[in-house]
Amino acid sequence: KAGVTQTPRYLIKTRGQQVTLSCSPISGHRSVSWYQQTPGQGLQFLFEYFSETQRNKGNFPGRFSGRQFSNSRSEMNVSTLELGDSALYLCASRLSNTEAFFGQGTRLTVV
Amino acid sequence: QQQVKQSPQSLIVQKGGIPIINCAYENTAFDYFPWYQQFPGKGPALLIAIRPDVSEKKEGRFTISFNKSAKQFSLHIMDSQPGDSATYFCAASMNRDDKIIFGKGTRLHILP
């Protein structure tokens, strides 16, 4: 079966702009989580959505937001981009109480 | 309290050697400890996972050792191969449904 699909794979944005990233989970998976990966901080949890509701949230500023649609696809939005937002953004999906499957990520570069 | 500390940051081992990666945690509420493997350009993939009621778990060449009293756990890779060269992350969560707290990662290189 198809894995977790993230689009786009690469993105270059300018400081102050906003960006939307997309994640299509594995079919049947209702939980979608987002993580930010940077060389200095490693993998950090952003938030998780389950059945269109945010179930868990990490310690990121309000500029980072997300949503989930009825088909379980999820989007993540970052407003007023800063240079420090440059990172690999990873999405993971899972069934209840099972392992998390990660997508390949979206590499965001802010210039 | 929510941190998972991982060491070393990088590791170079000869083919056939046994690299060991160590992790420590503080929060005793953690009860699920997965290890992830990440190759360049890919997302992390679950390698093996353990719960604190088990002291050791083996899957193929990969073994997790778990010391609940010391709040430490480690990954051993037996008969390591160049194809094992990747970044390894230890992690913890309060259950399989909760957010995953990752260690900072270990970049492993196996020399041919």
Side-chain angles (χ1 to χ4, degrees), chain A:
Chain A
K1 58 181 175 184
V4 178
T5 303
Q6 290 189 246
T7 57
R9 288 293 311 280
Y10 303 93
L11 208 47
I12 300 175
K13 289 287 189 178
T14 305
R15 268 182 306 174
Q17 286 187 313
Q18 67 96 28
V19 68
T20 299
L21 312 181
S22 179
C23 172
S24 293
I26 293 172
S27 177
H29 287 195
R30 293 163 63 191
S31 166
V32 174
S33 299
W34 289 89
Y35 292 82
Q36 181 195 65
Q37 185 174 18
T38 59
Q41 297 299 317
L43 279 148
Q44 291 188 292
F45 174 77
L46 281 154
F47 31 66
E48 182 203 3
Y49 286 86
F50 183 85
S51 293
E52 301 179 65
T53 301
Q54 189 179 86
R55 182 160 74 172
N56 229 325
K57 190 177 189 304
N59 297 322
F60 278 79
R63 300 185 296 107
F64 292 82
S65 62
R67 59 178 175 168
Q68 187 180 33
F69 302 95
S70 58
N71 62 357
S72 293
R73 190 177 71 86
S74 178
E75 287 183 346
M76 190 192 105
N77 186 276
V78 188
S79 62
T80 320
L81 283 165
E82 300 176 0
L83 294 178
D85 296 333
S86 295
L88 180 68
Y89 289 89
L90 291 158
C91 163
S93 80
R94 58 184 168 186
L95 289 170
S96 180
N97 201 31
T98 64
E99 69 175 278
F101 292 86
F102 283 84
Q104 294 192 86
T106 294
R107 173 76 61 186
L108 172 65
T109 302
V110 182
V111 296

